[in-house]
Amino acid sequence: MIIKSKPDIIPSEITPKEVFDNRREFIQKAGFGLIAASAALLASPLRAATLNDKSILPKPLGAHPKIAGYAKTAYGAGDKLTTYDDISTYNNYYEFGTDKNEPALNSKLFKPRPWTISIEGEVKKNKTISIEDIYKLAPLEERIYRMRCVEGWSMVIPWIGLPLAQLIKWAEPNANAKYVEFISLADTLQMPGQNLQVLDWPYTEGLRMDEAMHPLSIMAVGLYGEQLPNQNGAPMRLVTPWKYGFKGAKAIVKIRFTEKMPLTSWMKAGPSEYGFYANVNPLVEHPRWTQSSERRIGAGLFSGRIKTQMFNGYAEQIGQLYAGLDLRKNF
Amino acid sequence: MLYLMNLVPSKKQLSWIKIFVFSLCLIPVSRLFYLGLQDNLSANPIEFIERSTGFWTLLILLVTLSLTPIRLLAGIAWQIQLRRMLGLMMFFYACLHISIYLWLDYSFVWADISKDIIKHPRILVGFAAFVLTIPLAITSNNTMMKLLRQRWKRLHQLVYFIAILGVIHFWWLVKKDIREPLLFALILVALLGIRIYYKILAKQRRVK
């Protein structure tokens, strides 16, 4: 019987010399690549860990100039205020970074004064107004509003501001003005997050004229009795409490009146996820987050979620603003 | 470099390495307890814990999946002996991740949880990935290995699918800044790509 023995090695299995010679280099390159990638990966939680250290956290309550002579209002009676610490360290403000703890730290070099806001578009005539004059345009009021983020969390915030309607009256829009567009600052030096094209800068938001004129809509300039911290939108930001938080354009430099519905930054970023109206609505689901319930910031680990209310609980005040509008299509 | 590569740890050394890697894996969860005791888990602690445990689940999974590519590329094989422990560590973090979601985030309100899973592809994909890790964890012991034989290997190839689902789950969480999930995806593609490359190479050799 002939027993055929297989050769120890077949020719094709022999590594060509040049490949063999290169293998160390290849391994080194692959190794370096993996190490670099892992280092980058590890850097983010480490960064988050250090940023979380309270010792380097931003200014506490009392560090910003006090606002004198604002009127208290009945808004927000019965709601427990979110702490200043939470309001000023948990921010979605991509101009200063996409992590929520980043704006408080990356906005330290931001200069909210001197500041002017320009008014343009469908108006009698273009004009500008300084932030100091905004303070004098109408008596400032404290408005304690619930803020519901599209991501499913909420806060109760004591804003100080003036009714947006007062500012619009001063701006004198003409009969063609159907919408108002709010344009935030674009300045990569002051806003390092803008180096990343996560959104189409400058940040823009918009309202229908009747929404903007609604008594609930305010231009906020303060928080907890003091001027706004940079990370909360200093020196002036929009607040519309019946809409998701991203409607609230921060550090506004331009207000433009238009005849056509403006395209907002988030509408450009994800038209199927973020609509123009962005009304808080527990019945219209978002592809990423539950909209029927929310987590109240500061309520504690074991508090559970609370039910989200239609128009964030402001349905009564909103009244007939959206009569005849299909809120499922116009989300 | 070459000298280091040729080192193979003794049995005793290997058990020390295992203890070391095991302790290393416990750092992230210890950190959460430490930050929690200091009330330093950000304004939204539940989200913080969910993100953190999710991140480490994926990272440990990728480390587990890198053991074979190291063997293929560098010819070192002893690290394969860490695979079971790392896999179980990944399962441990996945369990923490989903427990926090079911318990702290949704207080075991099953009606809301089922709605969340059905309505949101991100949650569905993550949930599916978790369910698939359960049989792998159950069959990770020697008895099951012997019992299942060839089928064991096939079953545990599910881990590739789990990793893909995991990265998608992370990707869909992020609104716009995709840098982190992109990095996870690239590493996963590299780790799976190396395997495929060597598979094809082996096949070609057999054909020749």
Side-chain angles (χ1 to χ4, degrees), chain A residues 3-79:
Chain A
I3 298 171
K4 267 191 187 166
S5 78
K6 274 191 192 161
D8 276 352
I9 187 159
I10 49 172
S12 63
E13 260 188 355
I14 298 169
T15 310
K17 189 174 179 299
E18 58 273 24
V19 173
F20 182 83
D21 288 345
N22 277 336
R23 103 201 133 111
R24 249 183 261 175
E25 200 191 336
F26 174 66
I27 290 165
Q28 270 176 1
K29 272 184 189 158
F32 280 132
L34 268 180
I35 289 166
S38 322
L41 254 189
L42 282 169
S44 48
L46 286 179
R47 193 188 57 206
T50 46
L51 292 191
N52 224 31
D53 183 352
K54 279 203 170 131
S55 60
I56 54 161
L57 270 186
K59 298 172 180 172
L61 182 61
H64 292 84
K66 281 222 167 347
I67 295 177
Y70 59 88
K72 298 261 177 193
T73 59
Y75 289 100
D79 280 327

Side-chain angles (χ1 to χ4, degrees), chain A residues 113-322:
Chain A
R113 274 172 187 75
W115 195 273
T116 50
I117 296 120
S118 58
I119 311 286
E120 54 185 61
E122 301 291 347
V123 284
K124 258 191 193 157
K125 65 174 185 4
N126 293 352
K127 41 184 170 179
T128 60
I129 183 168
S130 70
I131 187 67
E132 287 76 18
D133 289 338
I134 291 273
Y135 272 68
K136 295 176 209 149
L137 204 58
L140 296 180
E141 300 173 16
E142 182 175 68
R143 300 273 185 109
I144 297 170
Y145 280 162
R146 290 178 292 277
M147 147 109 99
R148 169 63 155 82
C149 178
V150 71
E151 297 167 355
W153 52 267
S154 62
M155 294 184 178
V156 179
I157 307 176
W159 300 110
I160 293 168
L162 66 153
L164 178 55
Q166 300 280 348
L167 178 55
I168 291 176
K169 222 176 269 169
W170 176 86
E172 296 179 294
N174 64 32
N176 290 333
K178 303 273 184 322
Y179 295 90
V180 205
E181 192 178 9
F182 304 93
I183 296 137
S184 302
L185 181 69
D187 180 354
T188 46
L189 286 179
Q190 288 195 69
M191 297 177 143
Q194 287 182 339
N195 287 313
L196 209 65
Q197 278 298 315
V198 283
L199 287 172
D200 189 16
W201 309 117
Y203 194 91
T204 59
E205 258 305 338
L207 292 172
R208 223 167 57 186
M209 268 304 257
D210 57 345
E211 295 178 315
M213 293 298 288
H214 194 278
L216 278 175
S217 303
I218 60 164
M219 273 297 170
V221 294
L223 170 69
Y224 264 102
E226 298 178 356
Q227 286 180 10
L228 277 181
N230 293 341
Q231 64 271 27
N232 291 87
M236 184 182 94
R237 62 164 296 164
L238 176 67
V239 178
T240 46
W242 73 96
K243 293 173 178 286
Y244 292 119
F246 66 86
K247 268 278 148 185
K250 306 178 181 91
I252 295 170
V253 290
K254 207 181 280 179
I255 298 175
R256 187 190 289 142
F257 294 87
T258 61
E259 200 174 355
K260 282 195 188 133
M261 179 187 283
L263 214 54
T264 71
S265 289
W266 278 110
M267 285 166 80
K268 286 181 209 164
S272 61
E273 294 182 46
Y274 312 101
F276 177 78
Y277 287 95
N279 290 319
V280 176
N281 190 339
L283 303 172
V284 177
E285 272 298 324
H286 188 276
R288 292 170 206 261
W289 301 284
T290 298
Q291 298 306 19
S292 52
S293 64
E294 68 202 48
R295 175 163 301 289
R296 186 57 61 79
I297 297 299
L301 275 181
F302 308 101
S303 63
R305 302 172 77 93
I306 50 175
K307 289 258 171 274
T308 295
Q309 303 174 72
M310 188 67 201
F311 295 122
N312 202 21
Y314 297 98
E316 217 172 286
Q317 288 99 315
I318 292 305
Q320 296 303 302
L321 212 47
Y322 304 109

Side-chain angles (χ1 to χ4, degrees), chain A residues 98-111:
Chain A
T98 52
D99 281 348
K100 290 186 183 60
N101 55 0
E102 283 182 311
L105 297 145
N106 295 342
S107 66
K108 284 188 171 167
L109 297 176
F110 178 81
K111 293 230 172 307

